[in-house]
Amino acid sequence: MGNINKKGKVAFITLGCKVNQYETNAMIQKISNDYEIVSSSEKADVYIVNTCTVTNMSDRKSRQILRRCKELNKNAYIIAVGCYAEVSKEEIEKIKEVDLVLGNKQKNDIDVYLQNLIENNKNTENKNEMQNKYIEFGTVTYTEKTRAVIKIQDGCNNFCSYCIIPYARGRVVSRNSENIINEIQEIAKIGIKEVVITGIHIASYGKDFDSNYKLIDLLEEIDKISGIERIRLGSLEPTIITDEFCKRLEKLSKVCHHFHLSLQSGCDKTLKEMNRHYTSDEFIKVTERLRNLYKDVILTTDIIVGFPNETDEDFEITYNFLKEINFYKMHIFKYSPRKGTVAAKMKNQVSGEVKDIRSHRLLKLSENNEKKYLESYLGKNLYVLFEEKEGNYIKGHTQNYIMVKSKLDEEKINKIVEVKVISSEGDCLIAE
């Protein structure tokens, strides 16, 4: 291919979670002065694939995309980065199309690795690889439509029996609060009204600090930032929702009344085998605290069906528990054994057919719940932050994260507008 000059083309492909998306954006900003960033479907000189490894299917998809990049340009360099690259480096190195494999902590030096690759010097050691501290990407303005995503921590200490992420991301490392506040202040200056607080396990924010500074302390600081009108929280570990946490949370007017609580199972036996650190009764108390705190609170969750040793009776316990909790929406995942985890070695793996049946029942329950929730808003007035145009509508979300569409008026995009709900359609409300 020869040397790439400053106008060489680089394409990024991102798999997985918001953290990966945030970090891809950080890498783009790192190299955008020297390289032209192009769409992943275009012919590029370098393809950088930010991989995911949460399931075996994620691994497979990562491998497929790494191979397909070469089809777009047989002379291109292919770089694998991210979680799959972190835990399965030797496996990826066997893919002949791949030129370089980098882990998560090497993303911040992507400019150096890219230049070294181009100069055929692939063996440069990474100075960050063994450091157990937050890798600060600098000011990263990563937006989803009209909201900004803010990464506050990395890593997880929980080691759930089904999860590879602690091995891919390492132990909890928290970002300096001053850097977070500075970034959000800059975001507010450019007119963004909503921030999404994300990370691998945001409930653990501050656990690695010498001080007692925790997530709630950070939220109290963000709540004071002028120009920011909504603070949306990413997935939360239920155990963080204590009486003390709620008492302080209640005073923060900008925190959105939507909480995504990772449940995974409603059966105590299964929760214990998953190495989740709560019981179903403790989880119920969490939902009661939040519903007592906010009358309009929306609760969503993740559920795994077909976990090893989950009997029909165990599943029925989960099903009935979910009916009692009455989530607005549930994300249902069929358990997929992940090599390197405790659960993958467990006996009594559940068949695919049984997983399909259980998944279908919970999806139906989730759909029914969502329909009833949406119908309960008919005729009510709501405040919506409109985010984008879609056909003859503009659409956005309420504070508690219900999608709303209204008649096309592009001037209302990135504004919070009061609307009246007139009907529901699919997974959203129609308003005027």
Side-chain angles (χ1 to χ4, degrees), residues 151-361:
K151 181 185 172 188
I152 66 165
Q153 65 84 228
D154 209 337
C156 180
N157 296 350
N158 281 7
F159 291 90
C160 299
S161 62
Y162 53 81
C163 187
I164 197 69
I165 296 305
Y167 304 97
R169 287 278 177 175
R171 296 299 185 99
V172 168
V173 285
S174 303
R175 186 179 179 190
N176 179 282
S177 62
E178 185 178 345
N179 291 342
I180 297 171
I181 298 303
N182 289 340
E183 181 177 345
I184 296 176
Q185 287 172 336
E186 292 303 311
I187 283 167
K189 288 177 184 176
I190 62 176
I192 292 175
K193 294 178 172 60
E194 181 177 316
V195 291
V196 181
I197 306 304
T198 194
I200 297 301
H201 195 266
I202 64 172
S204 294
Y205 178 79
K207 284 193 173 181
D208 54 319
F209 291 158
D210 292 332
S211 66
N212 198 35
Y213 191 91
K214 304 298 182 189
L215 177 63
I216 190 64
D217 299 288
L218 177 64
L219 296 178
E220 287 172 342
E221 287 198 65
I222 298 172
D223 194 70
K224 297 173 185 175
I225 298 175
S226 177
I228 297 300
E229 297 185 34
R230 289 183 177 180
I231 303 167
R232 195 172 299 285
L233 299 176
S235 180
L236 283 175
E237 186 75 7
T239 53
I240 196 176
I241 311 294
T242 62
D243 288 332
E244 176 62 24
F245 184 88
C246 288
K247 185 178 178 180
R248 294 172 67 178
L249 196 69
E250 187 177 18
K251 299 175 183 177
L252 309 183
S253 62
K254 297 177 182 179
V255 171
C256 291
H257 302 172
H258 166 239
F259 296 88
H260 186 83
L261 306 172
S262 283
L263 173 59
Q264 309 303 358
S265 175
C267 173
D268 287 340
K269 169 178 157 263
T270 305
L271 286 171
K272 186 174 182 180
E273 291 186 335
M274 288 178 168
N275 196 32
R276 302 293 288 171
H277 303 290
Y278 50 83
T279 65
S280 57
D281 283 346
E282 288 168 341
F283 190 92
I284 286 177
K285 289 184 175 66
V286 166
T287 64
E288 289 173 347
R289 288 186 188 111
L290 292 172
R291 284 172 168 154
N292 289 334
L293 195 63
Y294 308 115
K295 291 182 180 179
D296 63 341
V297 72
I298 288 287
L299 304 179
T300 56
T301 196
D302 299 321
I303 300 293
I304 296 173
V305 297
F307 191 75
N309 296 314
E310 184 188 61
T311 64
D312 289 340
E313 182 182 1
D314 296 334
F315 174 74
E316 289 302 325
I317 291 171
T318 290
Y319 184 86
N320 291 325
F321 182 80
L322 295 174
K323 284 183 70 176
E324 179 184 355
I325 294 292
N326 191 28
F327 289 102
Y328 166 61
K329 190 180 290 188
M330 300 181 289
H331 301 146
I332 312 302
F333 300 92
K334 289 178 278 191
Y335 172 72
S336 172
R338 182 60 182 84
K339 183 180 177 182
T341 62
V342 172
K345 300 175 184 176
M346 288 181 177
K347 297 179 180 179
N348 301 320
Q349 297 285 331
V350 178
S351 72
E353 183 181 3
V354 171
K355 291 177 190 175
D356 288 342
I357 293 169
R358 293 175 184 174
S359 174
H360 178 75
R361 285 186 64 193

